[in-house]
Amino acid sequence: MPEMHKDLPQEQQRVDHIREEINQKENKLFEKTAQLKENVIELRKTFWDDVTVNLDEPDDVIETEASIKQQAELLAQKETVHGSLAKELKTLNKLKDNPYFGRIDFKEDGEEKEKIYIGIASLMDKEEEDFLIYDWRAPISSLYYDYALGEASYQTLAGEISGEISLKRQFIIRQGKMKAMFDTGLTIGDQLLQEALGNNASTTMRNIVATIQKEQNKIIRNEKSKLLLVQGVAGSGKTSAALQRIAYLMYRYRKQLNPENVMLFSPNPLFTSYINNVLPELGEENVRQTTFYHFVQKKVGDDFSVESPFDQMEYMLTNKHTMTDQIRMQGIEYKSSLAFKQMVDAYLATLHDKGICFRPVLFRGEVLISKEAIADYFYTMESSISLPNRMELVADWLLKELTSIQQEEVSKDWVGEKIELLDKEAYAKAYYKARQQGADSVMDEEAILRKAVVHKMFASMKAEVKDFAFVDVAKTFEQLFKYHPELAELPNSWKDMAAQTVEHIQSSHLQWEDVTPYVYFKGQLLGDMKDRSVRYLVIDEAQDFSAFQFAYVSELFPHTRMTLLGDINQTIYAPISKQNPLLLKDGEEVERITLMKSYRPTKQLVQFTKHFVPGEHKIEPFEREGNKPKLIYVNKETQRKEVLKHQIKDLMNEGYETIALVTKSLQESKHIYDALTGEVPCTLLDEETYTLSKGVLIIPVYLAKGIEFDAVIIPDATNSNYTKEDQTLFYTACTRAMHELVMVANEEPNVFIQEASVGTYKADKK
């Protein structure tokens, strides 16, 4: 820590003053909250005492409803205010420990110099006139992130404000005590960033508001781009910037945006849990978060079981390279492409005139309306009417037909048999209903019961019609692979691919490469509601979206502003191609921001991995020193376990809290876990893992994406395990480490290690 700054006593006095102000505000809020809570409790107790209930006359009923509504609105209003006060108290409590992290002295042209202190939330003085702390998202706070000393400007709704920054200062405050402060001409001084990055990795992602860099600030405050593409190298803070971006948008458009208007696609449930704390830390509610897998799985429905992308990945990494495997691998590539989407579209076009498979409407084992009759009705309509609109018209026709048939069924003998099986409650309801209608005979009660029985049985049929159960979507989709190979320019192995696909469809299973084509097809056939409530969509690890998947998402959210983040060097699931969403061309509505500086790993780790980074990006390391990566040779397989145990022990002795054994596949993870169980306390992470814990973790690389660990051990860094095709996998595994990287090989190390300069790692032969 540098020597004491001359202004530190005065700055500490200001922190003390701020804490006093916060205490006073808290006391006032506690009083308001307590009083309001009592009011809410009392209002709940006496709710019906203050409501006039009179149901004798129609006017009295209206008056009663108005009285209930008024009382409910009063209760809701008080509960909302109470919730708002509780949120304000929570924010004040955070500010008390760490009120702010930065200060700039800014003199607006023609005005007096102002000292601007910046923190995670705004705080005004007791008179509510002047800002003691500015929220980091406020327009004026952008000066702190975007400018060095000298001339500077920022945008407001009223226009541009220009002036001069004469001082930029950064603070490290813990529990209300000034630990350190730095004056700097840079955006974020190395000292503050070193302090943040030098600590152990956390099991949840931290917010980065105190260390936002200028290039990250461009991502956060971007408001104009309909599609923002962020290509960021490993450890560049792209995910953190995306979450701060969401927080900024929620602040900037707080009157128009709510958490339901923002959706985030994360790569897996573990990652969702890892980032779940960032927005609440910043005083915002979490937005809608899901994985693309769970999103499309819901759209598939109950007709199929669905392979997960993790199972597909495991298959790709561990398959035996048989002819069947090779055909599927080619299928995965083709079905990810826009060429296959064009083929699906061409097939859909033929369905306007013929080819849709329908199901008959059955009742009690008999055909009420045949599939041929439904097809005839469908194809007598104008072919210019869209398929979903025609489906709606068919559903309306079927409902009318069922209503007519329902009336005919009431008098049939089977209904009488059903009535005899009814319980006493059903009879009692019929009796009272008959009396309300003025009926007084057993015959009238029986008529009511008959209608009730038939209505109940037809209600479920009508619900199925409304859900388009009369359309056999699966069989119609299957025909794409059986009967329409002439619709597009197809790969040579198409017939074999199609046969594999049909086999799975007929066993009610969709492989992952078929899931998006199926839900797209289903949506085009039956209609897929475009989600207009989502105004901002953020896709993390976007490089793993195939061209087909991104095209599908774009059609589902046509008016939504999107932010795509990822690293083309870490592409794992989707075949790398020029159609990758991250490689879209810049345009009028498309803006690209590239992050080249890597902050997570030490300088030594970056210098090692840059030799085999898949792309052509020149990665810039942050100047944080550490140990060189270590390559340990073992003579035989049995020695590996002892080496792993020894390395884990050494890393734990160094004080590292998260030590990850990152493997190529889950199969390898399980093998390592079995070997170490009983020897070392360790946790196996798989696709069902939803939370990250401290300790020794064993995880396949495709689940470790986006997560950082203090130390990473690669248990099998050999040539036989990581082939030339596994470049992105090995690069991703290495770049999960913040401080230490250890690689173990019992034979020739892989080609990527061989490509690295010998001086960038330390070899240790056992």
Side-chain angles (χ1 to χ4, degrees), residues 331-453:
I332 290 171
E333 184 172 354
Y334 179 61
K335 291 171 183 176
S336 299
S337 68
L338 291 179
F340 184 57
K341 181 178 180 295
Q342 289 164 4
M343 180 181 176
V344 174
D345 287 332
Y347 173 53
L348 281 161
T350 69
L351 297 180
H352 282 264
D353 299 313
K354 63 177 181 177
I356 297 176
C357 300
F358 293 97
R359 293 191 183 101
V361 178
L362 302 175
F363 182 63
R364 301 183 70 243
E366 296 181 5
V367 175
L368 285 187
I369 305 171
S370 70
K371 60 184 179 182
E372 291 80 11
I374 297 173
D376 287 344
Y377 189 88
F378 183 91
Y379 282 115
T380 53
M381 284 184 268
E382 288 289 334
S383 60
S384 59
I385 303 173
S386 71
L387 296 175
N389 283 350
R390 279 200 264 178
M391 292 300 177
E392 290 282 357
L393 293 171
V394 172
D396 290 342
W397 168 68
L398 287 173
L399 290 172
K400 288 175 184 174
E401 291 293 304
L402 287 177
T403 299
S404 176
I405 295 169
Q406 179 180 335
Q407 292 169 354
E408 295 172 5
E409 291 291 319
V410 170
S411 60
K412 292 189 176 178
D413 293 342
W414 69 266
V415 183
E417 295 169 6
K418 286 279 185 184
I419 289 174
E420 291 177 6
L421 299 174
L422 293 176
D423 55 24
K424 291 181 180 179
E425 185 180 353
Y427 275 101
K429 283 182 180 178
Y431 175 81
Y432 286 117
K433 190 170 183 179
R435 293 297 171 268
Q436 286 175 345
Q437 294 175 358
D440 56 5
S441 70
V442 174
M443 290 297 291
D444 290 324
E445 290 173 21
E446 183 183 347
I448 289 170
L449 283 170
R450 281 179 169 273
K451 285 182 180 179
V453 165

Side-chain angles (χ1 to χ4, degrees), residues 13-35:
Q13 284 178 10
R14 187 179 193 278
V15 172
D16 295 339
H17 169 67
I18 294 293
R19 284 167 64 87
E20 288 175 15
E21 290 274 349
I22 290 173
N23 283 332
Q24 291 177 20
K25 283 180 177 284
E26 279 183 330
N27 291 334
K28 288 181 181 178
L29 284 174
F30 276 131
E31 290 177 14
K32 281 185 185 178
T33 304
Q35 187 178 2

